[in-house]
Amino acid sequence: MAMTRGRRAMLEKEAAAPEPPAGAAATSEEDEEAPEEVTFERARAAAETERRRAGDTARRDRELLKEKRRQREELFKEQKKRKLLPENVLEELTSGAQINNNNLSDTTKQGENRNESENKNEERHTGQDNRRNKRVVRFKGNYMAVCLKDQDLTSQHQKMAKDFVQSHLYGPGTNRTTANQFFSFVNKKSPLKKAAVQFVNKYWGSEEKQKAKQFKKHWMSTKKKKNKKLR
Amino acid sequence: MGEFQVHRVRFFAYVPAGIRCVAHSTRSARLALARTNGALEVYNFAANYFQEKGIPGHETRSTEALCWAAGDRLFGAGLGGDISEYDLEKLRVKYSLDGFGGPIWSMAADPSGTELAVGCEDGSVKLFQVLPDKIQFERSLDRQKGRVMSLSWHPSGTRIAVGSIDLLRVFDVKSGHAIQRILVDRRLRGLYSCECVVWSVAFLSNGTIVSSDSVGKVQFWDSEKGTLLETHPVSSSAVLCLAVSEEEDSIVVGTSEGAVYQFQLLPVKWGSAESKWVRTKPFQHHTHDVRAVAHSATALISGGLDAQLVIRPLMEKMHGKGYDAALRKFTFPHRRLVSCAKKAGLLLFQFPQHLELWRLGATNSAGKDGDILPVSRAPEHLLQLKSKGPEHICCSCISLCGSWIAYSTASRLHLHRVHWENGSVSLKRVSKVPKLLSSAHQLLCSADSTSLFVASDQGAVHVLKLLEPGSCGHLQTLRPNSGSAEAVYLLAASADGDWLAAASGDWEINIYSLRQFKPHCTVPAYNCAVTALAIHPVTNNLVITHSDQQVFEFSIPDREYTTWSRKVQQHGLHKGWLERDTPITHIAFNPKQPAHILLHDTHMFCVLDKSLPLPDDATPLMNQTTLKQLSEKARRGYAHAFKICKKYQPLLFVDLLEEGSLVVVERPLMDIKTQLPPPVQQKKFGT
C-alpha cells in the first residue's frame, strides 16, 4: 500500500515536472518561427477527417452505451425470473386470484412486464381485499402456498387484544390469589383441619425422582449379578 | 351387585376450557356456548339440557361473541377479526368473513334478526346484512376512538348503545352518527385513576341503558339526556357480563369473583306505579370469573372460566318444587373422551391437542370386598401423540386389541398402527388414509380390529378396512334410506361384526347390516336425544339411553323392542332414576352375565340386572348399602334391577375389561380447579 502510494506520488511529480519547461519552450519557439503555410484544401481535408473522427467516436460511445444498457436489462430480466416462482405456480396463483376477485384479473394479466415495485403494490392490494380469505392454492403434493404477511398482521392484532384482556383480568390491581390459598380458606374455620389443596406440587423434583428411580434399578441389577457370582 | 376388581384411574389430567360467551335462543330452546379454546357447544333445553352438538376448537380462533339470528342460524365473532356462521348440521364453520376492523369484541343481532352489528378493535361499529346463505357488509357507523367492548340494540332497532373504554355512546342507526356520549367514572387507585372498561351494555325499550364495568358497578343511564339514573356497586372487582330478560323486568350480572346477581324491577311501594331496580338475589356457584350470562324465561344461565355452566331456575317462575326447579351444573362434555382397549388393558385419553396412551396397572394380591389392593405394576404412560396444526381433535378411538389408534381433526383423519415388541411400543403412521370429503364426528373400531367406522355428515358412515402391515382402504359408505341432513354422533358395532348402529343429530337411529353393507332397519323414533348406544355381544340387542333417562332395548334380528323393554315401558322407571340430571354417556356389558347392562353418568355407575324385578316408586332406588347389612336370604327379597354405586365421582368413563375387571376413570373437580387461572381473592370474615 505504501509503495503504491509512493509510486503514484512519483508519477504525479513526473507529470507535473516537465510541463512548465515545455510550455515555456513552445511559447518561445512559436514566437520565433513564422506560421507554417497550409493550403486551403489540405486544411479543409484535415478539418473534415477531424470532424468524421469525432462523429465516429461519438457514435461508438453511443453504441457502447446501448450495448451496456441492453446487457443490464437482460441481467435484470434474468434476476427477476430467478426471483419469481415457477411458471405453473404463478399461473395457478393468478387463476386463484381471478376466482376470488374479478377486477383483479386485469392487473394480474399484465404480470409479465410489471416491475418489482408494482408487484409489491399489487400484493398489498389483494391482501387488503381478502385478507382473511387468504389465497390458498393446493398442489399435487402436501404443500400449500399461503400469503403469510397478512396473517402476521391479524395475529399481532389478536395478540394485542388478548394482552388487553389479560392485563384487565389478571394484571396488577386485580387482586388475584393462588388456587392453593383460595381453596384452603375453608380449612381455617373448619373444625377438621386438612392439608392444603395443593399440598405438594407433584412436578417438583420430577427429574431427581426419575434419576433416583433409575439409580435404584441399576443398583438392584448390580446386586443381583453380584449375588449370582457369589453362588 | 356383582363384584369386580376395579382399576380406579385418576391420571387423566383433563382440564376443560373456560366458558367465554353464551347465547340463548328462546325460539328453539337452545343454548350456544363458546369456550376459550374456540370450541362451540349447543345444549338443547327441551331434551333435558343435553349437549346436542359440539364443534371442536381451533388454536387461532377465539370466539368473543355469539348470537342467534334469522331463525336458528348461529353466528360467532372473535379476536381473529372474522365473523363466522356455524353449520350446525355438518358441525363446522360454514364460512367466515373478515370484518376489516381488527379483532371483534362484541356482536348483536337486531330485534328482527336481519342485521348483525359488530364492534371492532378500531372503534367502528359495522352492520352486516343477514342473507339466506351468507352475510354481507352493509355499512359502517361513524368511527370513534377506542375499542368497542360491548354493544346492544334498542328493541325498536333504531339505536345502538355502545360500551367502550371510559365511555358509552349511543348511535342512530339510520344516520350512523353518534348522538350521545356518556362518560363513565374511573376507579381511583392511589393517586392515579385507571381506565374503566364497559364490559357489557343493554338497551331497554324505555330508553334506559344498563352498563356493567370494570370498576364493579352496574349503572342505569338515561339515553336521551345522558344522565345517570341509578348506580349499584356490586363488586370490588369487575362486573364482566349482563343479560336482560325478555320482559325487561329482570337483569342478571356476573362478576369476576364468581358471583351472579339478579336485579329486578320492583314497585317502590305496594301498589304504586313507580318502580325501581333492586338487587335481589346473589348466587355463588362459580369459583372463578363469570364471563358469560344469559337470561331465559325461567332461569339464570351463567358460564365461568372454571368451565362450569350453571342453570339456576328462578323459583318464582316455577310451579312447585319439582324436577325442573333443580339447579344444573355442567362441567364435563357429554361426549366420550376416553377409549379403552379391553383386550390389551390400555386407555386412550383425548386432549384438545394430543392423545395419551396408558397401560393400566396390575396387582398380584387378592382381597375381599372393599379392600384396596396394593399395585404391583404401576400404570405406565406409554405414548403421547401430538396432533399437528392448529385444529383440535374432535374424536379418537383405539381398537380393542390396542394395535390401531385413530383420531380426527376437523379436516383430517389420522390413523396409526401400534407395534408391540417385547415391552416396547412403536408407532407407525398410516400414510395413505383415504381422503373422505367430510370430517369425522365419531370413530369406532370393530371388535376384531379389521375395520374402522367413521361417522360423517348427512347420516353417512364410512367403513374403512384396516390391513395388517399398516395400511387401510375405503370399503363402503353406508347411508340411511331417509336421507337425513344431520351428522352422525354415536356409533355402536356388534361383537360378531354383523351389525352397526348409528345415531344422527336428528335422533334417528339407523341399523346397518355389515354383511351386505345395507340399511337393515331404523329404530322407532323417540322425541329425545340419544345419549349412548351399545349392542349386546351375545343377544345382539341394541341398548339405547335417552337424555330423559329412558332405557330401551331393541332386538336387531327381530326388528322390534324386546319384551323386557316393553315391560319397562309399561311399568315405568323409578322416579329417582328419571330425575337424574346428567345423561348416561356409556353403556357396557358383562359377557359372563348376559342379563347385566352397565351404565354410567357423571355421578353414578349402575348395573342394570334384567332378571330382577323393577323397583316401585315406594322402594328406595339406591339400596345397595342397606342390602349389604342384610343376610343372603333377606337380600333376595329387597333386591331390584338397579344396582347403583356412587363411590366413584365424577366419572368420565367406565368399562369392563376382557379379564373381568372394571376400569373407572375419575376426574376430581378439585384437581381441575387447581389447574385453572388464579381466582380473585375474597375477604372472608374471621379468616
Side-chain angles (χ1 to χ4, degrees), chain B residues 185-249:
Chain B
D185 47 348
R186 297 173 149 214
R187 183 209 297 260
L188 281 174
R189 189 188 296 150
L191 284 175
Y192 308 100
S193 62
C194 53
E195 60 181 17
C196 168
V197 182
V198 181
W199 284 111
S200 186
V201 289
F203 211 149
L204 306 184
S205 52
N206 61 359
T208 309
I209 299 173
V210 192
S211 73
S212 69
D213 53 36
S214 61
V215 176
K217 287 178 188 164
V218 175
Q219 287 172 315
F220 294 81
W221 309 85
D222 187 331
S223 70
E224 288 297 318
K225 301 183 188 114
T227 50
L228 182 63
L229 297 174
E230 285 175 52
T231 300
H232 296 269
V234 165
S235 153
S236 58
S237 54
V239 183
L240 294 172
C241 48
L242 163 161
V244 185
S245 70
E246 267 192 3
E247 299 89 55
E248 296 190 353
D249 59 350

Side-chain angles (χ1 to χ4, degrees), chain A residues 132 158 164 168 175-177, chain B residues 60 147 195 289 678-679 681:
Chain A
R132 292 292 304 168
Q158 198 171 344
F164 168 78
H168 266 277
N175 201 15
R176 298 276 165 175
T177 172
Chain B
T60 60
R147 42 172 75 91
E195 60 181 17
D289 312 44
Q681 187 166 22

Side-chain angles (χ1 to χ4, degrees), chain B residues 458-473:
Chain B
Q458 296 180 334
V461 180
H462 302 287
V463 184
L464 304 187
K465 188 133 192 89
L466 302 175
L467 301 167
E468 221 4 270
S471 63
C472 76

Side-chain angles (χ1 to χ4, degrees), chain A residues 127-133 138 142 154-183 185-186 188-189 197-198 202-203 213, chain B residues 59-62 79-80 82 98 100-103 105 121 147 149 165 189 195 197 199 214 237 240 256 287-289 291 305 412 435 670-671 673-682 684-687:
Chain A
Q128 276 168 0
D129 269 6
N130 40 13
R131 200 159 70 197
R132 292 292 304 168
N133 201 357
R138 267 228 165 267
N142 254 340
T154 48
S155 64
Q156 195 191 335
H157 281 311
Q158 198 171 344
K159 200 178 162 286
M160 276 165 64
K162 274 185 180 164
D163 287 348
F164 168 78
V165 171
Q166 184 72 20
S167 72
H168 266 277
L169 291 183
Y170 299 102
T174 48
N175 201 15
R176 298 276 165 175
T177 172
T178 60
N180 196 7
Q181 276 185 337
F182 184 86
F183 293 110
F185 261 131
V186 193
K188 280 198 172 176
K189 283 189 91 178
V197 174
Q198 265 179 320
K202 280 175 203 161
Y203 302 100
K213 212 175 178 182
Chain B
E59 276 302 283
T60 60
R61 199 169 66 210
S62 66
L79 294 184
D82 293 326
D98 197 341
F100 291 111
W105 291 99
E121 171 94 355
R147 42 172 75 91
M149 296 305 295
I165 289 160
R189 189 188 296 150
E195 60 181 17
V197 182
W199 284 111
S214 61
S237 54
L240 294 172
S256 244
T287 53
H288 290 67
D289 312 44
R291 293 211 69 186
L305 292 186
R412 274 191 75 177
K435 211 160 186 154
M670 201 39 101
D671 288 8
K673 280 177 180 167
T674 53
Q675 306 282 313
L676 293 170
V680 174
Q681 187 166 22
Q682 284 168 33
K684 293 265 165 70
F685 178 75
T687 53

Side-chain angles (χ1 to χ4, degrees), chain B residues 406-451:
Chain B
Y407 72 93
S408 171
T409 62
S411 63
R412 274 191 75 177
L413 174 69
H414 300 258
L415 185 63
H416 293 266
R417 174 81 171 91
V418 189
H419 293 280
W420 304 91
E421 279 157 20
N422 46 44
S424 69
V425 193
S426 64
L427 202 67
K428 197 169 155 266
R429 197 169 77 87
V430 178
S431 55
K432 280 182 185 160
V433 178
K435 211 160 186 154
L436 307 168
L437 287 171
S438 44
S439 56
H441 304 301
Q442 185 64 268
L443 295 167
L444 184 73
C445 271
S446 66
D448 54 356
S449 306
T450 54
S451 41

Side-chain angles (χ1 to χ4, degrees), chain B residues 172-189:
Chain B
D172 185 50
V173 176
K174 211 171 185 185
S175 66
H177 299 315
I179 53 171
Q180 190 63 261
R181 180 171 176 275
I182 305 167
L183 277 176
V184 181
D185 47 348
R186 297 173 149 214
R187 183 209 297 260
L188 281 174
R189 189 188 296 150

